[in-house]
Amino acid sequence: GGELTSQYNVRGGNYDENLVYVNDFEIFRPQLIRAGQQEGLSFPNIDLIRDLAFSSGGFEAKYGDKLSSVLDIKYKRPEETRGSFMASMLGASAHLEGSFKPIKKQGGKVRYLLGARYKTTRYILGSLDTKGEYLPNFIDLQAYVTYDFKPNWQLALIGNINQAKYNFTPTESEVVTGGFFFPNKFSADFEGKEDDKFKNNMGGLALNFVPAKKQNPSFVKFLTSVYNADEVEAFDILSYFQVTKLELDLEGGKPKEIGVLGNGVQHSFARNRLQNIILNGELKAGIEIPRFNDDKGYETSHFLYGGIKVQQEHFKDRLNEWARTDSAGYSLPNAEEEYQLASVIKSVNDVSSTRFTAFGQETFTYKKLSKYEIQTTIGARVGYWSFNDEFIVSPRAQFLVRPLGRENPITYKVAGGIYQQQPFYREMRRLDGTLNTNIKSQKSAQVIGGITYDFIAGKKEPVKLKIVAEVYYKDLWDQISYNVDNVRVRYSGNNDSKGYAKGIDFRINGEFVSGFESWLNLSFLDTKEKIYGVQHKDVTGQPVDYVPRPTSRIFAGSLYFQDYLPKNKNFRTHLQLNFGSGLPFGPPGENLVQRNAVRFKTYQRVDIGFSYQLWDEINRDEKPHNLFKFTRKTWISLEVFNLMDVQNVASVNWVKDFNNIYYFFPVNLTSRRFNLKLRMDL
């Protein structure tokens, strides 16, 4: 989604189609955020993470009902006291971890993780085209505590307080577009301000029971959690704009304004508030049944896993927003008898509903010693939602073959199934603010095939590398069409479209430089849709059956590389490159007939960083008087964001000229910025 946001889309899906779990607790995201600069800190705290797994499709039945991806995060189980502190021009963070025995002679350990983060993007936002006073402040506090109160029993508690405040008083903006031959300039002066507050709190409790037995190991886990959000967006901003035609100076001087194409006023107003409480309880259990046959040299195992979950949702939504457009002294749309606004949305919605879900799956593993391993996972999910009385069934399967005992093993994988995403609140809310009580789940049939190849390259200095390649196809139906404006997804609120997504992903990673992980990712994607009852046309006006989906990025790639000075490993550098074809967009209003017929320019961005290790505890005897001897390791870093100072696009602003012709001007992302950072591991 760009450098101002942590949101991501996967294989043609949007930001709302991704599952995130932390220690089996499902994490929910804010609903009202409409621009990346409003977005605070995402839930996962990197200082607390032990490991993570990511699936970009074809995931098992144990994961929830979303269409695109799963990010499964596990937090640490600390044994000793540790901590860290980081401060930079963009914020600060600290964490503390450790363990102790509350009852020394008996009982288990208490393990704790505490994390605090603060972020301010005021310095970064100062590089945007719209100038003004930016006052963003984002805070996140987290705690994860476990207690092994009996040998077979563990209690876990997770808590989170996440607050984002975004205050913005714009003053002026200026954007030039149209290239060399048809340059136009959009300039605006502003009145008013924006004041947004997003509060998200979460608490969860988990009880684990793991019987102490060698045969048929099993577990039972009960989880319950509550998520509470209070989101307020309030803005009242007038933009006095002017669109002018420019003449470029071939000698490099300042462009001249040679004519005014349009001027007017854009007035945006909102007083929106969304409050929600999500309560859930879940019971999971699993058992492994292994079988061994040493004479024939093979072993098998069955792992049975299942669970049930109940979730209650309560939403209190108050929408009050409108927009007024004035062009050359005339209000648009123009009417002789009354004063009309360009758009008005006023609604009051109070919704309570209950979801019931259950899953069951079996993983069968057959292992021929020193030869190969075959693993098959077959399962299904069922669900019921009281809001629309819909019952869903989602079968899923995975098949994997892994050679054993070879120097360069290749793993083969095939996965697929039916994936159904029951609507969340915003998906069932139409553009006019009313609710669709007949909304149904979005559905997808997926098939994925891939290989993983581990090999060693080089003879003098051998390097371990891994290649991962996957091809996929998704058939989509009962889709709820949407448009993407910056990072806001605006749903139609109706099951009004069908589509598909197909493509290939390629990744190579490894220690190209010994001790430092690097990677290269390349992806090709074709995802299109058809809205029922609409004859779509391309940009030339020719009829077409399918048009690009809003997240149809045809090509994308990223490169991350780390290195160090040959004679001084304390000095390190990293380089990150991201590039990809621009996302599609369409004309303002309905964006239906010539849907998403235009694209943003190519996204490209290079970041570079330099780090120097000021202290390492292994040098304590050599440097007993070092300033940072109270730490284990201390680093200082200089980061350069957007090294090439490329103007990437987040969205567009549409305006009309005197002849009622639309022009669009890009809303650019950040330009080049520097960041100085100090990190200490305690």
Side-chain angles (χ1 to χ4, degrees), residues 145-254:
V145 181
T146 62
Y147 178 35
D148 304 320
F149 59 93
K150 284 189 177 182
N152 303 332
W153 293 86
Q154 182 195 76
L155 189 66
L157 174 69
I158 189 170
N160 173 245
I161 298 174
N162 190 306
Q163 295 190 4
K165 294 182 179 180
Y166 177 75
N167 298 322
F168 175 43
T169 305
T171 56
E172 61 181 357
S173 178
E174 184 176 297
V175 180
V176 176
T177 188
F180 180 82
F181 294 102
F182 306 101
N184 298 318
K185 183 177 76 171
F186 171 84
S187 57
D189 295 318
F190 296 93
E191 288 183 13
K193 67 176 183 177
E194 180 176 355
D195 186 3
D196 302 327
K197 297 181 179 68
F198 305 96
K199 299 178 181 179
N200 302 277
N201 304 315
M202 182 255 187
L205 193 65
L207 181 63
N208 299 311
F209 174 60
V210 183
K213 57 179 183 179
K214 293 183 179 180
Q215 283 190 329
N216 301 338
S218 61
F219 74 92
V220 178
K221 187 171 187 177
F222 173 74
L223 302 100
T224 182
S225 66
V226 56
Y227 171 83
N228 170 250
D230 187 357
E231 304 177 43
V232 177
E233 58 175 0
F235 54 82
D236 188 358
I237 298 176
L238 288 93
S239 167
Y240 302 93
F241 69 88
Q242 180 170 282
V243 180
T244 54
K245 186 172 182 60
L246 299 181
E247 182 180 70
L248 298 181
D249 189 336
L250 298 179
E251 297 181 358
K254 189 175 180 180

Side-chain angles (χ1 to χ4, degrees), residues 317-434:
D317 185 20
R318 302 294 182 265
L319 271 178
N320 178 18
E321 66 175 86
W322 49 264
R324 176 175 67 89
T325 300
D326 182 295
S327 180
Y330 291 91
S331 179
L332 300 177
N334 185 258
E336 294 183 0
E337 298 180 355
E338 60 183 359
Y339 187 83
Q340 294 188 0
L341 298 175
S343 65
V344 179
I345 304 176
K346 291 180 181 289
S347 66
V348 175
N349 296 319
D350 293 308
V351 179
S352 295
S353 63
T354 304
R355 301 179 197 261
F356 300 91
T357 56
F359 76 90
Q361 65 180 53
E362 183 201 11
T363 300
F364 173 72
T365 303
Y366 178 89
K367 186 181 294 185
K368 184 72 172 178
L369 300 182
S370 301
K371 296 292 185 178
Y372 57 84
E373 176 184 348
I374 299 175
Q375 189 177 90
T376 303
T377 301
I378 299 176
R381 294 186 65 85
V382 295
Y384 171 79
W385 188 26
S386 65
F387 182 82
N388 62 356
D389 286 328
E390 183 185 28
F391 183 80
I392 62 173
V393 180
S394 303
R396 304 174 186 178
Q398 289 189 346
F399 181 74
L400 183 142
V401 178
R402 179 187 297 114
L404 301 175
R406 295 186 186 179
E407 186 176 349
N408 298 324
I410 300 179
T411 300
Y412 302 90
K413 172 187 173 183
V414 177
I418 304 297
Y419 294 80
Q420 304 189 61
Q421 180 168 320
Q422 292 182 325
F424 208 54
Y425 179 73
R426 284 193 310 135
E427 293 161 80
M428 60 191 186
R429 191 179 71 184
R430 301 185 181 94
L431 293 173
D432 62 1
T434 60

Side-chain angles (χ1 to χ4, degrees), residues 51-205:
D51 56 50
L52 59 84
F54 182 77
S55 172
S56 50
F59 42 85
E60 301 170 35
K62 66 180 181 179
Y63 295 117
D65 298 300
K66 295 276 189 176
L67 294 177
S68 291
S69 76
V70 172
L71 178 61
D72 191 357
I73 296 171
K74 302 297 182 186
Y75 274 2
K76 298 177 184 177
R77 285 177 52 84
E79 294 292 340
E80 54 185 341
T81 303
R82 286 283 185 260
S84 69
F85 172 78
M86 186 279 295
S88 77
M89 298 169 66
L90 303 179
S93 68
H95 101 280
L96 181 66
E97 63 182 72
S99 65
F100 64 91
K101 276 196 169 186
I103 305 174
K104 293 186 178 181
K105 293 186 179 180
Q106 61 182 1
K109 285 184 177 180
V110 172
R111 295 179 174 86
Y112 59 90
L113 290 168
L114 306 174
R117 293 177 292 167
Y118 169 75
K119 183 178 83 167
T120 176
T121 51
R122 184 176 183 180
Y123 167 64
I124 289 288
L125 298 179
S127 68
L128 298 179
D129 293 325
T130 301
K131 306 303 178 184
E133 183 180 21
Y134 291 90
L135 295 174
N137 289 287
F138 311 118
I139 297 174
D140 178 82
L141 304 175
Q142 284 191 43
Y144 184 68
V145 181
T146 62
Y147 178 35
D148 304 320
F149 59 93
K150 284 189 177 182
N152 303 332
W153 293 86
Q154 182 195 76
L155 189 66
L157 174 69
I158 189 170
N160 173 245
I161 298 174
N162 190 306
Q163 295 190 4
K165 294 182 179 180
Y166 177 75
N167 298 322
F168 175 43
T169 305
T171 56
E172 61 181 357
S173 178
E174 184 176 297
V175 180
V176 176
T177 188
F180 180 82
F181 294 102
F182 306 101
N184 298 318
K185 183 177 76 171
F186 171 84
S187 57
D189 295 318
F190 296 93
E191 288 183 13
K193 67 176 183 177
E194 180 176 355
D195 186 3
D196 302 327
K197 297 181 179 68
F198 305 96
K199 299 178 181 179
N200 302 277
N201 304 315
M202 182 255 187
L205 193 65

Side-chain angles (χ1 to χ4, degrees), residues 407-409 452-458 462-468 507-513 516-519:
E407 186 176 349
N408 298 324
T452 301
Y453 178 41
D454 295 281
F455 65 101
I456 298 177
V463 176
K464 290 184 178 180
L465 299 176
K466 179 191 291 272
I467 291 178
V468 180
R507 174 186 177 94
I508 181 170
N509 67 277
E511 296 183 0
F512 293 93
V513 176
F516 297 87
E517 186 84 5
S518 301
W519 68 77

